């Protein structure tokens, strides 16, 4: 089965328990249609770059799934119909990365940026 990664953004006025309940709800939708959630992460409330439906912040959730395309289409359709979900992004990947996502890693654990090389003098 194909592998997918999904990012959901829910309304900011939900509680943490309600936002995590959305993850469980959409996980069962995938399971009912023959897929499964390999791993999920709740990223918390984050500020968005621009307003969506008059909201500046949103609850972010990340799902790694192993599901047929029909299950993913059904989940996306239900996300669009759900009043609490503002956006959903689905990406098909070749393989899931091991460990936590970049959002969940501490800054010290991330790989350091490479050297920028020689800098020229400003004039």
């Amino acid at each position: 089965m194909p592998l997918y990664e999904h990012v959901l953004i829910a309304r900011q006025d939900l509680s943490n328990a309600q936002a995590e309940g959305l993850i469980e709800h959409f996980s069962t939708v995938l399971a009912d249609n023959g897929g499964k959630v390999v791993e999920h992460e709740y990223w918390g409330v984050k500020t968005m770059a621009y307003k969506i439906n008059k909201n500046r912040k949103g609850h972010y959730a990340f799902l790694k799934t192993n599901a047929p395309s029909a299950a993913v289409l059904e989940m996306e359709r239900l996300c669009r119909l759900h009043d609490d979900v503002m956006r959903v992004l689905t990406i098909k990947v070749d393989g899931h990365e091991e460990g936590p996502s970049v959002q969940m890693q501490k800054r010290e654990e991330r790989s350091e940026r490479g050297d920028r090389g020689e800098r020229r003098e400003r004039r």
Side-chain angles (χ1 to χ4, degrees), residues 98-117:
E98 295 296 321
S101 64
V102 175
Q103 288 289 327
M104 296 298 287
Q105 292 174 1
K106 294 180 181 171
R107 210 173 269 277
E108 297 83 37
E109 295 173 4
R110 296 183 197 163
S111 62
E112 294 294 321
R113 291 184 180 180
D115 189 26
R116 296 179 85 179

Side-chain angles (χ1 to χ4, degrees), residues 76-88:
E76 287 181 338
R77 185 184 75 82
L78 292 174
C79 283
R80 285 193 302 270
L81 293 174
H82 204 286
D83 291 334
D84 293 333
V85 178
M86 294 189 295
R87 291 283 191 275
V88 62

Side-chain angles (χ1 to χ4, degrees), residues 34-89:
K36 71 174 189 173
V37 175
V38 177
E39 185 180 345
H40 67 85
E41 295 175 354
Y42 173 66
W43 290 346
V45 178
K46 296 194 173 287
T47 304
M48 296 183 282
Y50 55 90
K51 286 184 180 180
I52 300 175
N53 299 338
K54 299 181 182 177
N55 290 302
R56 280 255 178 236
K57 295 182 178 188
H59 290 272
Y60 281 70
F62 179 66
L63 301 158
K64 294 180 182 178
T65 62
N66 183 2
S69 61
V72 173
L73 289 174
E74 179 65 14
M75 186 198 78
E76 287 181 338
R77 185 184 75 82
L78 292 174
C79 283
R80 285 193 302 270
L81 293 174
H82 204 286
D83 291 334
D84 293 333
V85 178
M86 294 189 295
R87 291 283 191 275
V88 62
L89 172 71

